[in-house]
Amino acid sequence: MTDTLQPTPHHRHLEQARAQVIELLSRQALEKDLVSRSAETRKSDVVAQLVARQHQAALAQRLSTFHPADIAFVLESLAPEAREMAWGLVRAERRGATLLEVSDAVLRSLVDSMAPEEISAVVRTLDSDDIADLVSSLPDEQRQAVLEHLDRADQAEVRSVLSFPEDTVGAMMDLDVITVREDATLEAVHRLLRRKKPLPEHTHQLIVVDRSNRLRGVLALDTLLLEEPETEVAQVMNAQPTYFYTDDRDRDAVEAFEKYDLISAPVVNLHRQVVGRITVDAVIDEINARAQSESLRQVGLSEEDEDLFAPIVSSARRRWLWLAINLATAFVASRVIDAFEHTITALVALATLMPIVASIGGNSGNQSVALVIRGLALNQLQPAQLRQILVRELSICGINGTVWGLVLGLVTWLLYTDIKLAAVIAAALLLNLMVAALIGVLAPVLLHRFGRDPAMGSSIILTATTDSMGFLIFLGLASLVLVP
């Protein structure tokens, strides 16, 4: 079994399809440029039009065979000019589903040149919750203009979903639900479903309500099919289903779906009346969006940077803050080194060894940061648990610092035949790992307490501390032990 991650056949298919689209677009641009250089203007115009139509037909045919998610993949892989050209060839009835799949940054670039009524026509084919999800990514002015061009029924449902805060269950619920009465027979439910077809996606159970639309339970479809037709719903339903309130946090829903292997679950209001449901595809989308967002925040990037072809100046400007912070922390580390210039001059080996102490401290601290951020996200770190985690991480780093400090000390002794230098670097590595554990636990917790994003600032604080303290500890011990 190999450890190398191989691309799946589906990924290879997408890469080949993207390459074909890019090749068609490049060929069209090249031939258009060559024709424009022709001496005979009238003939060149005719040829250019014929060539353009030929390539557009080929592109439109190729894109028509793609799933909307695959079209989104191709669009995100294209430069702005080619992306706009390819987007113009996507059929109108497929544009709404495609917009749901692209990143927010690319979505805004696609709809930026579209009129509000055009966007409304594109999204009209979608369900109300999908329209709300798409419209929520638009700027406020554009959002209101699009809503005004929707049908009244869609407007009411979309505004209802948009009224919920972004991080709540209400904002991610699906309004397309099938409810049945608890006093109905299974035969009556059969008749209802035959009239209702097609069923909403991910329908594996029906929501059971009373006369006031209050949640009473859920009825699994396999139970509906296998039990006797004259049986009442109340007799065979699950009277204790997992359900959520509209103001529950979306992270709680994600945890429940992961924990209980749910496919869908009812959503109720404060009066326990059914208003929608959550489906597994919405949960998976939320997990993926959160993972992508967190990976960007850890390196100081925002969702705007998801577009690989975003404008250069604005992208550079968004990175200024973090580069400035890194520059400041690096300057502090350099001042620490400068303070021990005489020590380094006396023993040049220190200059080659001190980056090791800082580097290992940073790597060890990042492991602690990752665990604590996960604990905060899952709401697992109460004061008692925080103390346990701190003691645990200090103990782990104490063990690792002792073991690998001895290894590093042995290697240093073999290289420089200086037992004092070996003892100094071993001790420095142990102490810096302890500092890394302390900062790795406390930095994300304190940022969280002050309302800041732990994923965004913890790594910078950790790097600054482990670099500066690593140099200070190592060079300080060297000054005391090695330099007369």
Side-chain angles (χ1 to χ4, degrees):
M1 183 176 179
T2 179
D3 293 333
T4 304
L5 184 63
Q6 298 294 334
T8 65
H10 178 65
H11 285 161
R12 286 197 295 269
H13 165 72
L14 282 180
E15 291 170 1
Q16 292 170 359
R18 178 183 61 181
Q20 291 173 1
V21 171
I22 293 175
E23 182 183 359
L24 285 170
L25 289 169
S26 301
R27 191 184 306 166
Q28 180 177 354
L30 178 60
E31 292 179 356
K32 184 178 179 181
D33 181 60
L34 291 174
V35 171
S36 66
R37 297 180 183 180
S38 174
E40 300 180 20
T41 306
R42 183 174 299 176
K43 288 184 178 181
S44 66
D45 289 342
V46 173
V47 174
Q49 291 176 7
L50 291 175
V51 170
R53 288 177 183 176
Q54 181 181 2
H55 285 294
Q56 286 176 358
L59 276 170
Q61 176 62 30
R62 193 73 185 92
L63 291 173
S64 67
T65 63
F66 287 6
H67 186 278
D70 298 339
I71 298 176
F73 175 82
V74 171
L75 291 174
E76 290 175 346
S77 305
L78 298 175
E81 186 174 341
R83 178 188 297 160
E84 184 177 353
M85 188 181 301
W87 174 242
L89 299 175
V90 178
R91 291 188 301 187
E93 63 271 19
R94 309 190 70 195
R95 286 189 166 193
T98 302
L99 289 176
L100 285 175
E101 302 292 341
V102 299
S103 65
D104 288 348
V106 174
L107 183 149
R108 284 189 285 270
S109 72
L110 292 175
V111 302
D112 188 49
S113 58
M114 297 173 63
E117 57 271 17
E118 187 180 358
I119 300 175
S120 301
V122 166
V123 304
R124 196 170 287 126
T125 58
L126 304 175
D127 294 332
S128 299
D129 54 300
D130 289 334
I131 297 176
D133 185 34
L134 195 152
V135 170
S136 64
S137 303
L138 302 177
D140 291 338
E141 294 182 2
Q142 197 173 27
R143 180 188 311 167
Q144 295 301 324
V146 170
L147 287 175
E148 291 175 359
H149 287 85
L150 293 176
D151 298 334
R152 289 187 177 181
D154 286 338
Q155 276 192 33
E157 292 184 349
V158 170
R159 292 184 189 277
S160 174
V161 175
L162 291 176
S163 66
F164 296 104
E166 187 177 353
D167 59 348
T168 62
V169 167
M172 63 185 298
M173 69 178 176
D174 183 357
L175 301 178
D176 192 6
V177 296
I178 299 179
T179 60
V180 296
R181 293 274 294 276
E182 59 182 334
D183 55 356
T185 64
L186 299 186
E187 184 178 5
V189 175
H190 272 285
R191 291 197 300 268
L192 171 67
L193 295 185
R194 283 193 291 269
R195 293 195 305 269
K196 183 72 176 177
K197 63 183 182 182
L199 299 179
E201 293 183 358
H202 307 292
T203 298
H204 74 294
Q205 64 185 13
L206 308 177
I207 301 175
V208 183
V209 297
D210 60 15
R211 293 178 181 275
S212 300
N213 200 40
R214 287 192 293 267
L215 178 66
R216 302 295 295 169
V218 293
L219 175 65
L221 289 186
D222 56 352
T223 302
L224 173 65
L225 295 173
L226 299 176
E227 294 292 339
E228 296 297 328
E230 63 272 9
T231 306
E232 286 192 357
V233 171
Q235 296 176 356
V236 293
M237 71 180 185
N238 175 12
Q240 294 182 326
T242 300
Y243 65 94
F244 303 95
Y245 288 96
T246 53
D247 58 352
D248 286 341
R249 296 184 305 173
D250 54 5
R251 68 176 59 179
D252 294 334
V254 170
E255 292 170 18
F257 269 72
E258 291 178 328
K259 184 176 181 180
Y260 302 119
D261 296 327
L262 302 176
I263 297 177
S264 66
V267 178
V268 300
N269 59 21
L270 294 178
H271 302 291
R272 213 163 178 263
Q273 294 172 320
V274 175
V275 294
R277 63 174 183 147
I278 290 186
T279 56
V280 66
D281 61 330
V283 171
I284 292 175
D285 289 344
E286 178 65 24
I287 292 173
N288 290 335
R290 187 182 302 172
Q292 293 174 8
S293 178
E294 184 171 322
S295 65
L296 290 173
R297 291 200 307 269
Q298 286 178 347
V299 292
L301 298 178
S302 66
E303 293 181 356
E304 296 292 335
D305 294 292
E306 288 181 338
D307 186 1
L308 298 177
F309 302 98
I312 294 176
V313 176
S314 59
S315 297
R317 189 181 297 116
R318 283 193 295 270
R319 304 185 190 187
W320 284 353
L321 173 62
W322 301 106
L323 290 175
I325 295 175
N326 284 331
L327 182 62
T329 57
F331 183 78
V332 172
S334 71
R335 293 300 87 201
V336 172
I337 297 173
D338 184 68
F340 293 93
E341 182 180 0
H342 64 287
T343 303
I344 299 174
T345 303
L347 190 58
V348 179
L350 297 177
T352 63
L353 294 173
M354 63 183 183
I356 299 175
V357 177
S359 175
I360 295 179
N363 290 335
S364 178
N366 278 323
Q367 294 170 347
S368 299
V369 166
L371 290 174
V372 173
I373 289 177
R374 181 179 182 276
L376 291 172
L378 298 177
N379 200 27
Q380 293 177 337
L381 284 185
Q382 303 302 323
Q385 287 83 4
L386 177 59
R387 286 191 292 271
Q388 292 176 357
I389 290 294
L390 181 58
V391 172
R392 178 179 181 274
E393 290 301 309
L394 287 172
S395 301
I396 291 173
C397 287
I399 295 172
N400 286 337
T402 301
V403 172
W404 294 105
L406 291 174
V407 171
L408 181 58
L410 177 60
V411 173
T412 302
W413 177 72
L414 292 175
L415 288 174
Y416 299 100
T417 62
D418 188 334
I419 190 65
K420 290 184 178 180
L421 178 61
V424 165
I425 196 168
L429 181 62
L430 170 61
L431 293 175
N432 200 33
L433 284 184
M434 300 295 284
V435 170
L438 183 66
I439 301 301
V441 173
L442 295 182
V445 171
L446 291 175
L447 287 172
H448 181 71
R449 292 276 174 86
F450 286 105
R452 300 295 182 182
D453 186 356
M456 202 167 220
S458 298
S459 60
I460 293 177
I461 296 174
L462 175 69
T463 301
T465 305
T466 53
D467 283 356
S468 301
M469 290 301 297
F471 296 149
L472 179 63
I473 293 171
F474 180 49
L475 296 176
L477 289 175
S479 297
L480 294 175
V481 176
L482 302 176
V483 179

